[in-house]
């Protein structure tokens, strides 16, 4: 089992796709990291040698990417700042509503949660 930046990578996936399990690494940056570490992209995670694992670890340390805890803390502080200055985006974050101008009359179910039915008014 390979553990990088505090994340256990899945065993039987190609190394490019298993690197995307680390928060802050997408497919493009995973390809660059594998290229810098001089590892074949089709290598499976469980087939990595110790030298390749060490090379990956060094490449991640040398990169200027914010990963895992640092990135989560950075994003959390940004949202906290928006809440504190009481701007529109901060209010939307506070109320668990879409932040970037999407409509909420219909849709927005993933952000607002499942439907809560309201009974009709009796005459």
């Amino acid at each position: 089992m390979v553990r990088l930046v505090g994340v256990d990578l899945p065993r039987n996936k190609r190394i490019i796709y298993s690197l995307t399990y680390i928060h802050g690494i997408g497919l493009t940056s995973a390809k660059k990291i594998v290229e810098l570490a001089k590892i074949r992209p089709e290598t499976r995670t469980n087939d990595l040698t110790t030298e390749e694992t060490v090379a990956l670890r060094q490449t991640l340390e040398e990169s200027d990417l914010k990963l895992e805890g640092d990135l989560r803390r950075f994003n959390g502080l940004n949202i906290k700042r928006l809440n504190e200055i009481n701007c529109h985006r901060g209010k939307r974050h506070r109320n668990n509503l879409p932040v970037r101008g999407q409509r909420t009359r219909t849709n927005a179910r993933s952000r607002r949660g499942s439907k809560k039915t309201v009974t009709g008014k009796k005459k």
Side-chain angles (χ1 to χ4, degrees), residues 23 67-80:
H23 186 71
L67 302 174
E68 277 303 313
D70 294 335
L71 182 61
R72 291 181 201 274
R73 193 175 313 107
F74 179 75
N75 290 339
L77 288 172
N78 283 339
I79 292 171
K80 190 175 180 184

Side-chain angles (χ1 to χ4, degrees), residues 78-123:
N78 283 339
I79 292 171
K80 190 175 180 184
R81 177 182 54 82
L82 291 172
N83 279 330
E84 288 173 357
I85 64 174
N86 211 20
C87 68
H88 179 71
R89 280 173 56 201
K91 290 177 185 175
R92 303 294 283 184
H93 272 293
R94 213 177 305 146
N95 295 331
N96 275 348
L97 291 170
V99 177
R100 296 186 176 179
Q102 297 91 334
R103 66 179 294 137
T104 55
R105 183 171 181 174
T106 59
N107 302 330
R109 285 269 66 100
S110 59
R111 185 74 175 154
R112 292 170 54 203
S114 61
K115 288 184 180 178
K116 301 170 193 78
T117 55
V118 178
T119 57
K121 190 174 182 182
K122 291 184 179 178
K123 291 184 179 181

